[in-house]
Amino acid sequence: KKAGLKKEFIVLILSVVLLVAVFVFIQWGLNKKIEDTLAQNAQKKQEIAKYKSLTTEVEKKKQEQKMLQNRLDVINSLRKDKAKAAMVLDQLSIDKPEKLQLESLKKDGAKLAIEGMALDDETIANFMTNLRKSKLFKNVDLIVSEQVEQNKMKVKKFVLSCEIIQT
């Protein structure tokens, strides 16, 4: 009876040791999985931080590109306006009668105000007709025409308004 009891006790101890070993093995496996998951999380957090910095950098580059494009647009607009101004002055010199003197030109967007002096109303009318016939001006209107004396000579001071045709 003692031998059987001793055998049962040894089997019980071996079972407990085996059970503890299984639990230790399972715990070790779980700890390993936890460590792997924590390492993966840390790696993913590093990747997220890296991508956030890249995203920020990309946004900065997009802003820089937009700013540079705006500058290019302004430069191209200025070049176009410069060429347009030369065309306007050229056309005015072509359309201007000999008995007419231009005093000032004021441009506001597409509107152009022309001030000058002429010997008579007919010269102003001819100038307006020439401007209307030109392919560069539209809505040519006489704003003011008044007789003034300059160098003891009576002349007509005038102000015209017109629009520059956008091409």
Side-chain angles (χ1 to χ4, degrees), residues 75-89:
I75 289 169
N76 288 334
S77 173
L78 290 173
R79 283 183 182 158
K80 185 179 176 185
D81 286 349
K82 183 179 175 183
K84 189 72 165 184
M87 288 173 50
V88 167
L89 290 174

Side-chain angles (χ1 to χ4, degrees), residues 15-152:
S15 296
V16 168
V17 167
L18 183 62
L19 187 60
V20 167
V22 168
F23 282 142
V24 166
F25 181 75
I26 290 172
Q27 184 64 37
W28 176 79
L30 288 175
N31 284 342
K32 181 72 174 146
K33 279 186 176 182
I34 289 172
E35 286 176 14
D36 290 346
T37 303
L38 289 175
Q40 285 177 350
N41 281 346
Q43 183 182 2
K44 296 297 180 191
K45 284 180 181 178
Q46 285 178 344
E47 287 180 24
I48 288 171
K50 176 182 154 188
Y51 289 130
K52 279 185 179 178
S53 69
L54 286 175
T55 302
T56 304
E57 193 173 322
V58 166
E59 287 301 319
K60 284 181 183 176
K61 295 295 181 188
K62 282 184 180 179
Q63 288 294 338
E64 286 177 24
Q65 182 182 13
K66 187 176 180 181
M67 186 176 68
L68 289 174
Q69 185 61 47
N70 286 343
R71 286 182 182 173
L72 281 174
D73 292 345
V74 166
I75 289 169
N76 288 334
S77 173
L78 290 173
R79 283 183 182 158
K80 185 179 176 185
D81 286 349
K82 183 179 175 183
K84 189 72 165 184
M87 288 173 50
V88 167
L89 290 174
D90 185 46
Q91 190 64 47
L92 284 172
S93 70
I94 292 170
D95 293 340
K96 184 185 88 59
E98 279 189 38
K99 297 177 184 179
L100 186 131
Q101 177 181 337
L102 296 178
E103 299 281 316
S104 74
L105 301 171
K106 293 176 187 163
K107 184 176 181 291
D108 182 17
K111 294 192 183 280
L112 180 66
I114 304 169
E115 293 182 22
M117 302 251 192
L119 289 180
D120 52 33
D121 287 331
E122 186 179 337
T123 305
I124 298 171
N126 287 339
F127 183 50
M128 291 176 66
T129 302
N130 293 343
L131 291 176
R132 285 186 182 119
K133 288 180 182 176
S134 129
K135 294 179 180 168
L136 199 56
F137 303 104
K138 65 179 180 179
N139 300 332
V140 179
D141 294 315
L142 179 63
I143 304 299
V144 175
S145 175
E146 61 186 10
Q147 188 165 328
V148 294
E149 192 169 312
Q150 186 176 23
N151 297 330
K152 297 183 182 181

